[in-house]
Each structure stands twice: as structure tokens, then as C-alpha cells.
Amino acid sequence: MNIRILHVSDLHIEKKNVNDIRIVRDALFQDLSKFESTFNMSPDLLFFSGDLMNKGENSKDEFLLADSVFIKPLLKQTKLSSNLLFMVPG
């Protein structure tokens, strides 16, 4: 049995870099789509390690921002449920 893992890390999200995060996210989604169509494969598990938020000074707001801008769209793109997402803080 093969398990395919998508590992992303160090988003460092904060309000001032949301547009940059969206650019990187969209490029990642394009690559994932190409990979899936070329190899007929998609990730089985999603790992996020490192710094989700930049400094954590406004941790609740930054987490909600990361969740809405990156995490939920990534789960939707990969068609994975949140129980297949593993997060290891940095």
C-alpha cells in the first residue's frame, strides 16, 4: 500500500502578506492539479509543519486568517477532510 503525503511548511501568515500567500497558494494548486492529471494521483495525507502564523502576536486572528486563506482552500483542493491534516508547530 502506498501513501502519498503532501508536506507544506512555514506559511508565516499575517495580514500584510495575504496577497503574497494567495499567489503562492494558487501556484501550489495549479501544480497539484497538473500532478493529479498527469499521474492520476492525489495526496492521501496532508502535513503542515513549522510556522503557520508569523509572530503569533494576534494568534486568534492570524489562525482564522490562515484557516480561511490557506488551510480550508487546501483541504478543498486536495479533497481531504480535516482529520487527514496533521499540524506540527515550529
Side-chain angles (χ1 to χ4, degrees):
M1 175 180 185
N2 293 323
I3 297 175
R4 291 171 297 277
I5 298 171
L6 175 60
H7 178 210
V8 292
S9 68
D10 295 298
L11 189 64
H12 291 274
I13 198 162
E14 57 185 327
K15 267 188 176 179
K16 70 179 184 180
N17 70 1
V18 169
N19 288 334
D20 293 337
I21 297 292
R22 286 187 175 120
I23 291 168
V24 171
R25 178 202 65 196
D26 293 347
L28 172 63
F29 290 178
Q30 287 178 358
D31 288 345
L32 287 170
S33 293
K34 288 177 190 175
F35 187 84
E36 186 173 352
S37 64
T38 302
F39 299 105
N40 196 28
M41 291 183 188
S42 58
D44 300 308
L45 299 171
L46 179 56
F47 282 79
F48 188 100
S49 65
D51 298 318
L52 178 65
M53 298 173 278
N54 194 39
K55 295 181 182 174
E57 292 172 348
N58 300 306
S59 58
K60 182 179 179 183
D61 292 338
E62 287 180 355
F63 178 80
L64 293 173
L65 184 61
D67 190 48
S68 66
V69 172
F70 193 80
I71 300 297
K72 284 182 182 171
L74 182 59
L75 289 170
K76 184 178 179 182
Q77 176 72 26
T78 58
K79 300 176 188 82
L80 293 174
S81 61
S82 60
N83 67 325
L84 298 173
L85 167 64
F86 300 88
M87 298 184 80
V88 180

